[in-house]
C-alpha cells in the first residue's frame, strides 16, 4: 500500500515531468527503476536501511542508473535520497506509475478466477469493462483454485464477486439465518 508521503512525491514528480515535457521519458525511466528494485533485493534493502549513509546510497543509485535514465530522473532520485526518503523509493515509483495511468486515463482492474482466462474471455471482459467505465482498462489476471469457479473483479476499492465460493458462502449464511429464525 502506497503511503501519503510516497503519493505526494509521486504526484509532484508527475507534475514536474509534465511541466518539463518529459512524461513518457520519465515513465519509461521509472519502469526501469521499478524493475531494478524488484529484481535486486540488495539494492532495495540498502535503500531502506537506516544504517547506510546518504552519500553511499546516493553513489550506489547514481552508479546503477547513471547511464539508463534521463538526468531529470537522476536528479529526482538524488532528491529523494537527500530528503531521507530512500526507504520510500519503491512506493514513490509505484505511486508515479499509478498516477501516470490515471493521468492518461487507464484504470487498473484485477480479475481473479479459478482457472486461467481464455483470450476470448479476457478480450470480452476487457471490452465490457471499457464500455462500463468509459475508458481504457489494464487487466491483471490471477488464478486462484480456491474460488471453485466464476470470477472476482476488483476496480479500485470496488469488488464484484461472482465466484462460486462467494455464492456458496452466501447460501450457507442464508441457511443459518433461516434456521435461527424458525
Amino acid at each position: 500500500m502506497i503511503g501519503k508521503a510516497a503519493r505526494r512525491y509521486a504526484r509532484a514528480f508527475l507534475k514536474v515531468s509534465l511541466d518539463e515535457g518529459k512524461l513518457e521519458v520519465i515513465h519509461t525511466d521509472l519502469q526501469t527503476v521499478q524493475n531494478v528494485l524488484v529484481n535486486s533485493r540488495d539494492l532495495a534493502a540498502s535503500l531502506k536501511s537506516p544504517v547506510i549513509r546518504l552519500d553511499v546510497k546516493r553513489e550506489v543509485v547514481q552508479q546503477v542508473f547513471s547511464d539508463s535514465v534521463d538526468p531529470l530522473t537522476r536528479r529526482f532520485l538524488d532528491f529523494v535520497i537527500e530528503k531521507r526518503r530512500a526507504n520510500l523509493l519503491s512506493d514513490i515509483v509505484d505511486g508515479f506509475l499509478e498516477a501516470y495511468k490515471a493521468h492518461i486515463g487507464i484504470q487498473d482492474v484485477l480479475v481473479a478466477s479459478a482457472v486461467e482466462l481464455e483470450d476470448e474471455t479476457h478480450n470480452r471482459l476487457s471490452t465490457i469493462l471499457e464500455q462500463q467505465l468509459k475508458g481504457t482498462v489494464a487487466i491483471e489476471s490471477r488464478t486462484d483454485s480456491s474460488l471453485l469457479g466464476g470470477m472476482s473483479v476488483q476496480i479500485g476499492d470496488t469488488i464484484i464477486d461472482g465466484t462460486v465460493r462467494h455464492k456458496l458462502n452466501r447460501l450457507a449464511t442464508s441457511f443459518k439465518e433461516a434456521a435461527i429464525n424458525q
Side-chain angles (χ1 to χ4, degrees), residues 48-180:
K48 290 181 180 185
S49 173
V51 177
I52 298 176
R53 296 186 336 250
L54 293 181
D55 59 325
V56 173
K57 290 179 183 182
R58 187 180 305 115
E59 181 62 31
V60 167
V61 167
Q62 291 301 323
Q63 285 180 1
V64 171
F65 297 111
S66 66
D67 295 333
S68 59
V69 298
D70 187 82
L72 181 61
T73 304
R74 285 196 306 270
R75 287 194 310 271
F76 178 71
L77 296 173
D78 192 45
F79 175 77
V80 169
I81 293 168
E82 189 64 35
K83 292 294 182 181
R84 301 184 183 276
R85 297 297 193 169
N87 60 320
L88 299 177
L89 186 58
S90 182
D91 287 345
I92 292 168
V93 170
D94 290 346
F96 179 94
L97 297 174
E98 186 180 280
Y100 170 83
K101 283 182 181 177
H103 176 75
I104 64 169
I106 296 176
Q107 190 155 10
D108 285 329
V109 176
L110 175 62
V111 176
S113 59
V115 295
E116 188 173 335
L117 295 179
E118 295 177 3
D119 288 342
E120 181 183 332
T121 305
H122 184 276
N123 293 338
R124 226 175 44 229
L125 180 61
S126 178
T127 301
I128 291 168
L129 289 171
E130 287 178 351
Q131 289 171 351
Q132 293 296 314
L133 298 172
K134 295 177 177 45
T136 306
V137 296
I139 296 179
E140 178 185 342
S141 298
R142 293 190 184 154
T143 57
D144 180 354
S145 60
S146 73
L147 299 178
L148 304 176
M151 70 177 66
S152 170
V153 178
Q154 181 177 350
I155 306 163
D157 293 337
T158 304
I159 298 175
I160 303 163
D161 196 340
T163 62
V164 172
R165 180 179 67 188
H166 176 71
K167 290 176 183 177
L168 288 173
N169 287 341
R170 281 191 4 223
L171 185 61
T173 302
S174 65
F175 283 158
K176 287 177 189 173
E177 289 173 359
I180 291 172

